[in-house]
Amino acid sequence: KVTRPWSRVPDRGLVSTLLATGALLTLATYSIEPIVTVYLGRLATPGAPVTLVAGLAMSATALGSALAAPRIGRQTDRIGPRKVLIACLLATSVILFAQACVSTGWQLVGLRLLMGVAVAGILPAITGAIRHATPGEIAGSILALNTSALSIGQVAGPLLGGFIGAHLGLREVFVATGLVTLAGAAIIGGLRRLDRPADGS
């Protein structure tokens, strides 16, 4: 009899929460995509290179993550994924709220760079925690679900950002997604068993 991989996960509640947290993170990261050029256009002075600054704002997050990921990864190994996830999600929330208050495009670029640093530890910590909570023989299948969850966030983020931007306002996009990551931090904070992940090797 063939058993579905999901039914063999010892703590499906924990893994489900980790999958949802990854989706929320990518949602928050990608929510700016449909509004960034318009947002910067409203901040810019006449003749300012809005398109260039928008490109820098979008790439700054990836640059920040690339620079910070190795260091934060070492911290995850040292203190565990739960503390890193809480700290990074809280920092992401604060930086998202700050992005709603910028007055220049360069401020947004700087904050997106900082956001990249904040999110650098989240996805590796989630992936590592899922791997530890999953038996080795089904790890590939469950990590594939993680990839699907991240993709859902990538789809939902621009849709949510565009909807909020059109109906509530552009600054409200950052506030709403900041609340999303704040909720993620609260949820992870309650997962004390994440401090002692089962060995999935």
Side-chain angles (χ1 to χ4, degrees):
K1 181 180 178 179
V2 178
T3 305
R4 294 181 182 274
W6 183 249
S7 67
R8 299 175 60 190
V9 176
D11 191 340
R12 289 189 288 275
L14 173 62
V15 174
S16 295
T17 302
L18 292 169
L19 294 174
T21 301
L24 291 178
L25 174 67
T26 53
L27 182 152
T29 303
Y30 283 85
S31 63
I32 188 179
E33 282 195 346
I35 64 144
V36 62
T37 303
V38 178
Y39 188 54
L40 288 170
R42 294 186 180 180
L43 298 173
T45 57
V50 174
T51 305
L52 173 62
V53 177
L56 290 173
M58 292 305 301
S59 61
T61 305
L63 176 61
S65 292
L67 294 174
R71 186 178 184 87
I72 298 178
R74 289 192 293 271
Q75 289 298 313
T76 304
D77 292 335
R78 188 173 67 86
I79 66 176
R82 189 172 75 95
K83 292 178 181 178
V84 170
L85 285 171
I86 293 171
C88 289
L89 286 165
L90 288 175
T92 300
S93 298
V94 171
I95 294 168
L96 281 165
F97 294 146
Q99 289 173 65
C101 303
V102 298
S103 57
T104 71
W106 295 111
Q107 289 174 352
L108 183 65
V109 172
L111 287 170
R112 296 300 291 185
L113 181 67
L114 290 177
M115 182 169 166
V117 174
V119 304
I122 298 177
L123 294 182
I126 288 173
T127 302
I130 290 173
R131 177 64 186 88
H132 279 292
T134 304
E137 61 271 18
I138 60 168
S141 297
I142 304 305
L143 291 175
L145 289 178
N146 185 45
T147 300
S148 296
L150 300 180
S151 298
I152 290 171
Q154 292 172 7
V155 172
L159 291 175
L160 180 64
F163 179 85
I164 294 174
H167 291 85
L168 298 178
L170 301 182
R171 295 184 187 273
E172 284 74 9
V173 174
F174 299 102
V175 174
T177 51
L179 291 173
V180 166
T181 53
L182 190 62
I187 293 170
I188 292 296
L191 292 178
R192 296 196 176 276
R193 62 191 186 280
L194 189 57
D195 290 327
R196 299 178 298 277
D199 186 5
S201 60

